[in-house]
């Protein structure tokens, strides 16, 4: 790996770990704790999760603008600082509104910190190496998820200290990322003034955005409510001859989700061999199976197996979506990439909102079955033609 690659990959992995793995997804790990400490209903917990995705959705447009008009470094800095601030607010929350504010501010982070990396990679990395570099950076989500589990286990009931540690990690990662990233000037490529409905729906982009939206709905339910599902109603869990309390078992489960996601660093090789469309079909089928396993699995082996499958295939899926967007929007990578994950976040906003509306009438396991069906429905939306052919309008 070249020196330039290290200057991109190392800080990129850390900032993605901060913005996604911690600022966005760690909420699901602590959901049972927040319910007890703040006396929150299932509906309010679901709406709080939706607030995180809504803030990301709204701020992603700013990330696209900053990347194309000002330069990506400022956007990364603002995104990282939002993550650190939001997680610090969660650590110090003494009332439900403070928790919701912290979750919302932290949710802003990926829209600002993650989107610019498409512009950075396309500008600095030669075409043959882009997919591999991007796949490794994208696996940073798993680093954040994996770190949050052991921290929660070690600190036990001191969840505030855990979130303070997350905030400190986020601040250090942000400062290091901004210091080490090579300078990249704004390219002033395709901007908002040049975007119209025809551009967004032509060249296969409309189908890509629809796929991203549906994937967002399906996967958000797993991220937000999986720990709640595997711990609810349990007293003790016997795992490899050891008795675990529900909270510890949930933390072990969460750590395995993160650990499995590191396999996503190899997504570039898989996509390079069979293409993004076939890759995405395989990964979405795996996500559907993992979600169904969690809905049906009562034993700890089935639960942990679901976490391993979901963690690995989710990071594979996210990397493939990013690569697909870069293939279709090479003239404006930050715009195409940003809009793809904007639609993903829109779906991730809708998912918890639906749970909040249905949780009083539909059991949580049944909602996971529906989420599994939504993941399978993605397969029907995938194109049958290759990405280059679509891009050319064939």
């Amino acid at each position: 790996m070249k020196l330039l690659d290290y200057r991109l990959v190392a800080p990129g992995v850390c900032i993605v770990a901060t913005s996604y793995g911690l600022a966005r997804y760690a909420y699901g790990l602590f959901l049972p704790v927040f319910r007890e400490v703040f006396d929150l209903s299932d509906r309010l917990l679901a709406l709080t999760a939706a607030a995180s995705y809504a803030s990301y959705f709204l701020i992603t447009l700013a990330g696209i603008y900053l990347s194309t008009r000002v330069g990506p470094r400022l956007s990364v800095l603002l995104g990282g600082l939002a993550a650190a601030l939001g997680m610090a607010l969660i650590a110090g929350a003494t009332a439900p509104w403070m928790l919701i504010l912290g979750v919302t501010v932290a949710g802003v982070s990926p829209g600002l910190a993650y989107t610019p990396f498409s512009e950075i990679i396309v500008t600095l990395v030669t075409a043959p190496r882009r997919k591999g570099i991007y796949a490794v950076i994208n696996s940073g989500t798993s680093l954040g998820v994996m770190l949050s589990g052991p921290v929660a286990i070690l600190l036990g009931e001191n969840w505030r200290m855990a979130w303070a540690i997350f905030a400190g990690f986020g601040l250090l990662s942000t400062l290091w990322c901004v210091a080490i990233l090579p300078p990249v000037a704004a390219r002033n490529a395709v901007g908002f003034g040049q975007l119209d409905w025809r551009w967004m729906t032509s060249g296969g982009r409309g189908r890509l955005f629809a796929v991203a939206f549906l994937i967002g709905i399906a996967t958000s339910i797993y991220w937000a409510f999986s720990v709640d599902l595997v711990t609810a109603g349990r007293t003790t869990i016997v795992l490899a001859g050891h008795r675990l309390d529900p909270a510890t078992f949930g933390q072990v489960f969460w750590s395995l989700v993160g650990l499995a996601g590191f396999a996503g660093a190899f997504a570039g090789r898989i996509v390079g061999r069979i293409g993004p469309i076939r890759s995405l079909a395989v990964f979405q089928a795996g996500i559907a199976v993992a979600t169904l396993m969690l809905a049906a699995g009562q034993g700890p082996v089935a639960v942990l197996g679901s976490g391993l499958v979901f963690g690995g295939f989710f990071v594979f899926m996210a990397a493939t979506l990013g690569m697909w967007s870069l293939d279709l929007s090479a003239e404006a990578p930050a715009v195409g990439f940003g809009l793809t994950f904007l639609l993903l976040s829109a779906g991730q906003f809708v998912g918890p909102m639906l749970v909040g509306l249905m949780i009083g009438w539909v059991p949580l396991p049944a909602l996971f079955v529906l989420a599994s069906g939504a993941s399978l429905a993605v397969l029907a939306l995938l194109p049958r033609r290759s990405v280059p052919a679509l891009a050319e309008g064939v």
Side-chain angles (χ1 to χ4, degrees):
M1 189 178 288
K2 298 181 178 180
L3 177 60
L4 172 62
D5 295 348
Y6 284 113
R7 292 185 66 190
L8 294 178
V9 167
V13 165
C14 288
I15 200 67
V16 172
T18 293
S19 60
Y20 270 109
L22 296 176
R24 278 282 296 280
Y25 294 138
Y27 172 78
L29 172 61
F30 289 86
L31 191 145
V33 175
F34 294 150
R35 174 189 287 109
E36 180 180 351
V37 172
F38 296 101
D39 192 26
L40 300 177
S41 66
D42 289 337
R43 183 161 298 173
L44 188 54
L45 286 167
L47 295 178
T48 302
S52 170
Y53 296 114
S55 63
Y56 172 33
F57 176 83
L58 294 174
I59 209 67
T60 296
L61 296 177
I64 297 173
Y65 177 84
L66 290 172
S67 296
T68 57
R69 296 298 177 184
V70 180
R73 188 190 296 265
L74 176 60
S75 188
V76 171
L77 174 63
L78 294 176
L81 292 178
L85 176 60
M87 292 187 287
L89 288 171
I90 294 172
T94 57
W97 70 267
M98 294 179 67
L99 172 68
I100 296 171
L101 177 62
V103 171
T104 304
V105 172
V108 164
S109 176
L112 292 170
Y114 185 54
T115 301
F117 272 93
S118 60
E119 195 75 25
I120 292 170
I121 291 171
V122 169
T123 303
L124 299 180
V125 180
T126 58
R129 292 163 40 234
R130 286 174 188 163
K131 286 185 170 65
I133 295 294
Y134 169 68
V136 176
I137 291 174
N138 181 72
S139 70
T141 298
S142 301
L143 175 63
V145 173
M146 188 188 71
L147 288 176
S148 62
V151 169
I153 292 172
L154 291 173
L155 293 177
E157 296 182 358
N158 195 356
W159 61 271
R160 294 183 186 278
M161 180 60 70
W163 280 94
I165 291 173
F166 299 161
F169 177 87
L171 180 60
L172 292 176
S173 295
T174 300
L175 297 178
W176 182 52
C177 190
V178 173
I180 197 175
L181 275 177
V184 177
R187 297 195 306 161
N188 292 321
V190 175
F192 292 114
Q194 298 166 271
L195 290 180
D196 55 27
W197 182 254
R198 182 177 179 182
W199 184 90
M200 289 188 287
T201 56
S202 64
R205 284 179 286 268
R207 189 186 295 266
L208 166 63
F209 298 153
V211 166
F213 178 73
L214 186 54
I215 288 175
I217 294 176
T219 58
S220 66
I221 295 172
Y222 199 106
W223 281 116
F225 303 103
S226 58
V227 172
D228 202 35
L229 180 62
V230 303
T231 58
R234 298 178 184 266
T235 53
T236 59
I237 298 97
V238 179
L239 182 64
H242 299 279
R243 291 185 176 276
L244 303 177
D245 62 84
T248 303
F249 179 68
Q251 292 155 359
V252 170
F253 161 79
W254 193 259
S255 299
L256 287 179
V257 172
L259 182 63
F262 281 113
F266 299 100
R269 296 184 182 181
I270 297 176
V271 172
R273 291 194 176 191
I274 65 175
I277 306 305
R278 291 180 181 176
S279 300
L280 198 57
V282 172
F283 303 151
Q284 274 306 115
I287 288 173
V289 169
T291 307
L292 191 60
M293 285 173 63
L294 202 65
Q298 297 298 316
V301 174
V303 169
L304 297 181
S306 168
L308 286 169
V309 174
F310 180 86
F313 279 84
F314 178 86
V315 177
F316 271 119
M317 176 279 300
T320 306
L321 270 183
M323 294 176 202
W324 188 8
S325 74
L326 292 177
D327 283 339
L328 295 182
S329 306
E331 77 283 7
V335 177
F337 185 90
L339 289 176
T340 298
F341 284 90
L342 178 73
L343 269 296
L344 181 71
S345 70
Q348 290 176 323
F349 165 71
V350 170
M353 286 289 290
L354 292 175
V355 172
L357 294 173
M358 300 169 66
I359 193 67
W361 297 275
V362 182
L364 192 54
L367 293 175
F368 272 71
V369 173
L370 293 175
S372 176
S375 288
L376 287 177
V378 171
L379 304 182
L381 290 177
L382 294 177
R384 297 181 181 275
R385 295 173 290 173
S386 67
V387 167
L390 284 170
E392 294 163 9
V394 176

